[in-house]
Amino acid sequence: MKKILFVLIVALVSQFLFASETIWLWNHNDNDVAYYRYQTSFDEKWRIVPSDHYSVKVDSGDVTEYDFILQQSYDGVNWSDATIKNHVIKQEVAPVIGKAKTNKGLVLSLQVVPFESYIATKPHEARYEKKSKYSLGLDGEVSYFFEKFGIGAQVGINIGWEEFSLIPFYAAKERVYGGAYATLSYRILDGNRFVILTQLGLGTNYELINNVTYLSPSILIALEGGIRINENVTISMKPSFITSFSSWNGEGEYTSFVIKTVSIGSSYRF
């Protein structure tokens, strides 16, 4: 009998950590051959296929190396010498960077807000809007996560040297802004390295503009994305939007909108 010529096709399926399915292909170079049979070193049972079969698929399961043995026959009784090929399955283990210990636990975070946009309106009157100058704020937060959901509290303060314009003309040189919120968070993505979450908060804003105090119920909406440095520490950016309504003060009611488009900070997970 002519010697069997083997061609090993690279494993078709890479499942989880290793490729467990491999297709073996050989050349049919003797027209008188009626049968082939094969076995593996992890399963010694012979399996017979007719001569019009030139390939088989082998699922090796957890085995990382094995021998594939093939013989051919004219009559199905007498068999040729075995052709043996050794196959080593390549391990394909993905690197893990800063894998989290658990999705549950307490998270403390601090965000620095170097700049924010602010608009305030008085009903039936004119509009205040920020023109320029500087502002700096801090947002501190503590949340406890139950898998993907988290509940917590957030407190923020922003001190600004800002100019507001009222048509036709008005100027406010100083502004102190702060707020306290009860928050509900949901993690959209919490992989080994990346963290993305949405946040909704209800609370109260405190504002001091030109020695006039404004208090108002407020809604906080935020989207946070970050990179986990290790099991505990995450660096993140957190754009947020705050709207206040039905404010009360010595001059009457007004509505304000605060957009914190730039904020960066860090969180620590216990």
Side-chain angles (χ1 to χ4, degrees), residues 184-188 196-200 222-224:
L184 175 65
S185 302
Y186 177 72
R187 293 187 182 274
I188 301 174
I196 297 177
L197 63 84
T198 59
Q199 186 178 64
L200 177 65
L223 176 65
E224 182 174 355

Side-chain angles (χ1 to χ4, degrees), residues 12-267:
L12 289 181
V13 182
S14 296
Q15 297 179 347
F16 304 105
L17 298 181
F18 55 87
S20 61
E21 292 187 351
T22 305
I23 289 182
W24 292 88
L25 175 67
W26 58 88
N27 291 336
H28 183 69
N29 57 358
D30 187 340
N31 292 331
D32 293 329
V33 170
Y35 302 98
Y36 294 100
R37 69 176 184 179
Y38 68 93
Q39 68 172 197
T40 61
S41 56
F42 63 85
D43 179 7
E44 297 182 353
K45 180 180 178 180
W46 284 105
R47 290 174 170 80
I48 299 175
V49 296
S51 61
D52 59 352
H53 284 63
Y54 311 137
S55 66
V56 294
K57 182 169 68 174
V58 174
D59 188 345
S60 55
D62 296 334
V63 176
T64 58
E65 181 178 358
Y66 66 92
D67 290 332
F68 182 81
I69 305 164
L70 184 68
Q71 292 179 314
Q72 56 187 355
S73 174
Y74 295 139
D75 54 14
V77 177
N78 300 295
W79 296 92
S80 68
D81 293 337
T83 299
I84 303 174
K85 294 290 183 180
N86 179 260
H87 183 36
V88 178
I89 299 174
K90 181 181 179 181
Q91 297 288 325
E92 296 181 356
V93 180
V96 176
I97 302 176
K99 184 177 181 181
K101 289 183 289 189
T102 175
N103 281 332
K104 298 180 180 180
L106 190 66
V107 175
L108 298 178
S109 68
L110 181 65
Q111 295 277 329
V112 178
V113 186
F115 178 82
E116 68 179 23
S117 297
Y118 173 83
I119 296 176
T121 60
K122 285 187 176 182
H124 310 298
E125 294 185 20
R127 184 165 68 113
Y128 294 81
E129 66 179 4
K130 179 178 175 180
K131 289 177 61 178
S132 61
K133 300 301 181 181
Y134 312 99
S135 64
L136 180 64
L138 294 175
D139 286 331
E141 179 183 347
V142 55
S143 296
Y144 189 88
F145 277 87
F146 305 87
E147 299 297 341
K148 295 291 184 180
F149 288 94
I151 57 173
Q154 178 173 317
V155 177
I157 185 171
N158 186 290
I159 300 177
W161 293 264
E162 306 168 346
E163 291 182 356
F164 295 81
S165 64
L166 172 63
I167 300 174
F169 176 77
Y170 181 82
K173 295 296 185 183
E174 295 180 343
R175 174 173 175 265
V176 177
Y177 163 84
Y181 308 92
T183 60
L184 175 65
S185 302
Y186 177 72
R187 293 187 182 274
I188 301 174
L189 171 64
D190 192 354
N192 290 332
R193 189 173 181 182
F194 299 100
V195 176
I196 297 177
L197 63 84
T198 59
Q199 186 178 64
L200 177 65
L202 296 177
T204 301
N205 278 345
Y206 167 86
E207 296 178 71
L208 177 63
I209 301 176
N210 286 348
N211 296 321
V212 178
T213 299
Y214 299 83
L215 294 174
S216 57
S218 303
I219 298 176
L220 165 71
I221 300 173
L223 176 65
E224 182 174 355
I227 299 178
R228 182 169 292 129
I229 303 302
N230 56 38
E231 291 182 346
N232 303 103
V233 179
T234 299
I235 302 297
S236 64
M237 292 191 67
K238 186 179 180 180
S240 58
F241 174 81
I242 300 170
T243 178
S244 301
F245 48 92
S246 301
S247 300
W248 55 92
N249 59 80
E251 297 182 353
E253 296 183 349
Y254 82 110
T255 301
S256 68
F257 303 92
V258 178
I259 303 175
K260 300 180 180 182
T261 56
V262 179
S263 62
I264 187 169
S266 178
S267 62

